[in-house]
Amino acid sequence: MSESTHPRIREVLSRLPAYVPGKPAAAPEGLTAYKLSSNENPYPPLPSVLATIHDAAGAVNRYPDMAVSALTQALADSLGVPAECIATGTGSVGVLGQVIQACCDAGDEVVYAWRSFEAYPIVTTVAGAVPVQVPLDDGHRHRLDAMAEAITERTRVVLVCTPNNPTGTVVHDAELREFLAQVPRDVLVVIDEAYLEFVQDPEAPDALAIWREHPNVMVLRTFSKAYGLAGLRVGYAVAHPEMATALRKTAVPFGVNSIAQAAAVASLDAADEMRQRVDALVKERGRVGDGLRDQGWDLAPSEANFVWFDLGEESSEFTAACEAAGLMVRQYGTDGVRVTIGESEANDRLLEVCARWLAH
Ligand SMILES: *Cc1c(COP(=O)(O)O)cnc(C)c1O
């Protein structure tokens, strides 16, 4: 009999960092505050999407469609893949949790680059699997050769984040294909494309083509970033049928709610308007990047909707300078600071803070 007077919580949880959410925007007096800490889309929902959300809200006394049929079919049509290859979840973080649960027993290994997305160690550890982190190179890019070497008998999943959150770098199509040639057929490679819509680098991977050619590849995407539905929690995988079936088995029942399903379908219907917004954000990213380079900053080129400041020990001070100017940003300990591309006024303010920083 245990002596403990408390319900016992799994030991492994004590090793987990609690997920740090982006700070809410807090305004110093007389300034508009901007939240640039969670890579959100600064645009409010499109009117057509908002109207759909409003209509769907009238039916929330009913459970959602458990099979997520309309959204699955809409995704299949827009991507040109069979519906049986789509699996949805509560954001792509939700889908990622389903992936680890579907593939990993206790002690199995999940390989990914580091720094990368903060949810990776969390979903891995919660499932009882073991994170294997492979440091990025000096240019803040994935070292796919080292990741291939990190694969062992216990490896079940490799996560490739492209563009990488928080550094913004992409892997290239050719190096990803070379990497895949070295990965055992029974190891799943997940290509996390949360920021795909912002990518312009012609050498970036054609993940769906790679998926078609490799039975052990899966592509992960989300409506949270470019599509601006972060608050509704809907993401999906493009997976081979057996894996997609496994993901449906490990899904939270009715996890993707009816409002989220309807809004995601409406967003796919409004793809042209979405594209215009994404193009505007990409243009802003270019403007911010050029401005920073003109100031003298040496930054990794970002293919996503954020920029990475590799500031090391100065990260806290830079974060404080941003906050004093009303910009909420995401600090990663003593590694660096990630700043989301937001409204153009917010981006202007960032350029001002950065110019002052270099002069201080
Ligand atoms: C934001 C993000 C996601 C998506 O999160 P959701 O759960 O879909 O909101 C997935 N992967 C990476 C790398 C991200 O940065």
Side-chain angles (χ1 to χ4, degrees), residues 233-310:
R233 316 302 308 125
V234 50
Y236 61 96
V238 182
H240 292 287
E242 199 183 339
M243 185 61 68
T245 301
L247 297 183
R248 285 182 207 108
K249 289 181 182 171
T250 53
V252 174
F254 302 110
V256 184
N257 70 69
S258 44
I259 298 176
Q261 291 185 32
V265 172
S267 297
L268 290 173
D269 287 343
D272 291 347
E273 283 171 280
M274 288 294 167
R275 191 66 240 170
Q276 285 173 19
R277 290 176 159 199
V278 168
D279 287 345
L281 289 170
V282 168
K283 214 167 147 196
E284 279 293 288
R285 176 184 77 201
R287 183 174 75 85
V288 170
D290 290 347
L292 292 172
R293 266 180 291 280
D294 288 349
Q295 290 178 10
W297 291 85
D298 177 22
L299 302 173
S302 173
E303 292 290 324
N305 65 337
F306 52 82
V307 277
W308 172 245
F309 294 89
D310 173 30

Side-chain angles (χ1 to χ4, degrees), residues 46-58:
L46 289 170
S48 62
V49 175
L50 202 53
T52 303
I53 288 172
H54 185 267
D55 290 348

Side-chain angles (χ1 to χ4, degrees), residues 90-94 117 120 161 165 192 194-195 222 224-225 233-234:
T90 53
S92 54
V93 171
F117 188 31
Y120 294 165
C161 188
N165 175 6
D192 183 347
Y195 302 97
T222 180
S224 294
K225 306 288 162 54
R233 316 302 308 125
V234 50

Side-chain angles (χ1 to χ4, degrees), residues 109 111 146-153 155 158 179 182-184 187:
E109 295 170 357
V111 173
M147 289 174 71
E149 280 169 28
I151 293 172
T152 71
E153 286 283 295
T155 307
V158 180
F179 166 74
Q182 300 170 63
V183 176
V187 172

Side-chain angles (χ1 to χ4, degrees), residues 24 60 64 66 96 98 101 241 286:
V60 294
M66 189 164 177
L96 190 61
Q98 293 161 232
Q101 283 192 58

